[in-house]
Amino acid sequence: MEDGDGDVVGWGERRAAWAAADAPSVARSIFLALHAAGVREAFGVIGGGIAPLAAGLANTPIRFYHFRHEAGAGFSAIESWFATGRPAVVAVTTGPGLFNVLNAAMAARVDGAKLLVVSGFTSRSQQGRGAVQETSAASMPADVTRAGSIFHDVFVPESEDELAGALGRIVRGLTAPGGYVAHLGLPLSLQGKLLPTPRPLGAAWRFDPPAPTRGAVDACLDALRDPGAAIWVGHGALAARDDLLRFAEAAHLPVITSPRAKGLFPESHPLFIGVSGAGGGAEVQQWFRARRPRHVLVVGTRLGEVTSFLAPGLAPSERWTHVDIDPAAFGAAYPEVPGRGIVADAAQFFAALHARAGETGWYARREPIALPERHAEPPLPPRSRGDVRPSYLLQAIQARIVDATDALVMSEAGNAFTWCNARLRFDRPGRYRTSAAWGSMGHFTTGCVGAALAGDRRVVAVVGDGAMLMNNEINTAAQYGARVLWIVLNDAQLGLNHHGMLALGMRPLETQMPRTDFVAFARSQGVDGLAVLAEPELDAALDRALAHDGPFVLDVRIDPTVPSPILAARTRSLESQTSKGAA
């Protein structure tokens, strides 16, 4: 490389003005604004299209974690939000970098996370001229360059004024109630621009969540006088745990939770009916068949397929009262059942119900019905031969991890998701995470790293071997010392697909895989691990894994012949959808 006088200049001897530690660059100002909005971590994969952005980020209080794949960075950003409540940022370069993070962005949209994707973008003057990894409206799908099904907002500013307006909208979205997923595309010409002084762009906002009206509260209490009424709560009500428990106990109202809301209501409580939908037991269906309530109060869930399987038998005979901060949730899953939609914050709503019920003497007037007694299943003894039964593995996880530690437990899509939903029991929220509706394989083989780093806690990810082979961030966990324990359900097959095909009368199509030694795989990257080949080995292996300070992989050889607990209900749902399509 030559300088302006023709003299040779070595790499590293020339430094761009924006690369200096104290440079008042636009990139640095962007992250100062995001820090003021509550961002403390950023995740991503650096490339040439965001070099000035990376330099600006490095000179702010935000901690950056460099991942091995943009999808892993995106899923980790999502899980950092759920672990801490702090909005998350994922930084990716142009072209394939942006494309690789779209799966995670869609998961964030469906799950209701707070996520900002910051990417490189080809400047207008360079578009159509053969730029490397061109990223523009002409070369990208519409959902990448404008608001739509993936992003609530998309901004591609070319000037400081445009950027200030975009950041104002982004900051409001990150601090407002509900989920928010945005894309900020930045050309190099703007990233490296210098400002007179480093300053945040955009202003911070505070939002008060929507509160219920007196009329809505009175109408709900009137409907809940139905002796057979119940409360069905979802992930959107996680912050309402104390208010829900207080109201349900005083009213003697039974409670159902969605799969993502496990632990929101104590699963050992006498008023707890069960977890609905995927991996849930038969208790919910049995309760509806036996009592068929006239009225059900639904809070913080859309009642989609994973939560209800859209089963007609899980609807009240008369109407719903549906509470959510998003009115699009009302009537979405059961459009034929009437109801009353209330736009309100879940915690404020349950607090208002309790206060109004006490003022009016409603608790004394309500006549609840008797609930069936619950009987605990006897523990499974270990069998001396054969692979580990999934039910025995989950029993050990319950005893050794859920009951004995404060670790955050995550379940990956597939068999791991259904077994964890069916067999694990939580008595408080914030202990369990899964992605039900989107359910991307690789979400929790990678997202666990973000939750462990941002939350500074032990995270246990129960994952399948197929998902672990598809995408993992073991190497990243090793670099940063993330306290993640991967428990791999190793059956050398895509188990949910295999047994699902058999249940549908199909010949399983390419569901088998060569057996992987995940311990050797982990150790090749500097991470310790242990293989479990039989049930008597399991307890000691879990204890050793939990005692390890850092990432650890537990490779459990599970019985490939045992089908998932979701199988019958999922098969009925698929058959129903297929028959409707054929009709």
Side-chain angles (χ1 to χ4, degrees):
M1 184 174 66
E2 295 183 351
D3 64 12
D5 297 322
D7 296 326
V8 175
V9 179
W11 290 107
E13 294 179 23
R14 259 174 102 167
R15 174 174 292 178
W18 48 259
D22 58 350
S25 67
V26 165
R28 185 180 179 193
S29 294
I30 289 170
F31 287 106
L32 289 175
L34 294 175
H35 185 268
V39 174
R40 295 295 180 268
E41 297 86 20
F43 307 81
V45 179
I46 299 300
I50 56 170
L53 192 79
L57 171 59
N59 295 311
T60 71
I62 295 176
R63 178 70 162 93
F64 179 68
Y65 296 100
H66 195 268
F67 276 62
R68 307 302 173 255
H69 193 275
E70 290 87 354
F75 289 129
S76 281
I78 293 170
E79 294 313 312
S80 77
W81 150 252
F82 283 113
T84 67
R86 298 191 294 263
V89 171
V90 57
V92 298
T93 192
T94 48
L98 178 56
F99 262 56
N100 284 342
V101 82
L102 293 182
N103 185 25
M106 190 68 204
R109 178 70 180 259
V110 172
D111 269 10
K114 300 279 195 187
L115 178 69
L116 172 62
V117 175
V118 183
S119 80
F121 216 83
T122 304
S123 64
R124 291 171 195 161
S125 63
Q126 299 297 320
Q127 292 174 15
R129 300 178 61 189
V132 174
Q133 300 177 342
E134 179 171 326
T135 305
S136 67
S139 64
M140 296 279 130
D143 275 344
V144 176
T145 58
R146 65 173 185 239
S149 58
I150 300 179
F151 298 108
H152 292 93
D153 281 321
V154 174
F155 306 98
V156 187
E158 292 267 343
S159 68
E160 294 172 43
D161 288 343
E162 291 179 8
L163 176 60
L167 279 174
R169 283 274 298 275
I170 289 169
V171 167
R172 291 194 293 274
L174 292 177
T175 52
Y180 180 72
V181 184
H183 172 210
L184 177 62
L186 296 167
L188 285 168
S189 57
L190 183 59
Q191 292 178 40
K193 189 172 183 179
L194 299 183
L195 300 171
T197 57
R199 60 185 177 88
L201 299 172
W205 278 74
R206 292 176 61 88
F207 288 84
D208 293 324
T213 65
R214 172 66 63 84
V217 171
D218 286 344
C220 182
L221 289 174
D222 184 61
L224 288 175
R225 292 186 65 181
D226 167 23
I231 303 173
W232 199 343
V233 290
H235 189 262
L238 284 183
R241 190 259 188 187
D242 293 340
D243 298 290
L244 164 64
L245 181 62
R246 180 177 58 180
F247 176 72
E249 287 181 335
H252 199 72
L253 275 163
V255 177
I256 302 163
T257 69
S258 71
R260 287 200 303 153
K262 283 178 69 68
L264 171 54
F265 193 82
E267 295 188 60
S268 62
H269 198 285
L271 289 171
F272 182 68
I273 298 174
V275 176
S276 63
E283 298 87 357
V284 175
Q285 294 91 334
Q286 292 170 354
W287 187 87
F288 268 87
R289 279 198 300 268
R291 290 164 178 81
R292 192 59 190 275
R294 299 196 308 272
H295 181 265
V296 176
L297 170 59
V298 177
V299 183
T301 172
R302 289 173 176 265
L303 299 180
E305 183 181 3
V306 174
T307 296
S308 68
F309 282 122
L310 308 179
L314 295 187
S317 61
E318 293 184 6
R319 61 189 175 94
W320 309 98
T321 293
H322 200 157
V323 180
D324 205 288
I325 60 172
D326 182 3
F330 305 148
Y334 291 88
E336 72 284 359
V337 181
R340 182 187 186 109
I342 302 172
V343 178
D345 172 76
Q348 289 194 19
F349 186 78
F350 281 117
L353 284 180
H354 177 68
R356 187 64 174 157
E359 291 172 6
T360 61
W362 179 87
Y363 286 130
R365 295 196 303 273
R366 187 174 185 276
E367 298 178 6
I369 59 175
L371 296 175
E373 291 186 20
R374 302 175 63 190
H375 302 285
E377 296 182 7
L380 293 171
R383 62 184 185 186
S384 57
R385 295 181 180 179
D387 295 330
V388 177
R389 292 165 291 176
S391 54
Y392 186 82
L393 170 61
L394 270 294
Q395 176 180 281
I397 292 173
Q398 179 74 47
R400 285 296 202 275
I401 297 173
V402 178
D403 295 342
T405 77
D406 63 353
L408 171 61
V409 179
M410 297 179 162
S411 65
E412 182 60 85
N415 265 351
F417 164 75
T418 60
W419 279 108
C420 286
N421 282 351
R423 296 300 178 121
L424 297 184
R425 300 287 180 266
F426 296 88
D427 279 345
R428 58 186 178 88
R431 293 288 315 279
Y432 180 66
R433 262 292 293 156
T434 192
S435 176
W438 192 241
S440 173
M441 291 176 67
H443 185 138
F444 291 99
T445 58
T446 61
C448 54
V449 179
L453 293 174
D456 190 23
R457 64 184 301 186
R458 167 74 73 181
V459 177
V460 177
V462 184
V463 305
D465 49 355
M468 198 69 169
L469 289 169
M470 184 176 289
N471 196 3
N472 70 79
E473 292 286 348
I474 291 176
N475 194 275
T476 306
Q479 177 177 353
Y480 298 113
R483 292 188 295 155
V484 176
L485 166 58
W486 286 272
I487 300 178
V488 185
L489 280 60
N490 192 344
D491 57 0
Q493 65 180 5
L494 299 173
L496 192 60
N497 291 355
H498 181 82
H499 291 289
M501 291 178 184
L502 289 175
L504 289 167
M506 297 172 57
R507 177 176 62 84
L509 178 63
E510 297 298 325
T511 56
Q512 305 299 300
M513 305 181 299
R515 179 83 64 179
T516 300
D517 183 343
F518 287 102
V519 175
F521 182 64
R523 287 177 177 166
S524 72
Q525 300 173 79
V527 171
D528 201 3
L530 191 65
V532 176
L533 306 181
E535 290 178 359
E537 305 170 10
L538 186 55
D539 286 350
L542 283 170
D543 290 344
R544 175 179 161 186
L546 291 169
H548 185 78
D549 186 21
F552 196 94
V553 172
L554 198 64
D555 184 348
V556 184
R557 184 167 298 193
I558 64 166
D559 189 337
T561 67
V562 181
S564 157
I566 191 183
L567 198 58
R570 177 61 172 159
T571 301
R572 287 193 298 270
S573 178
L574 290 173
E575 289 175 336
S576 172
Q577 294 175 56
T578 304
S579 63
K580 288 178 181 177

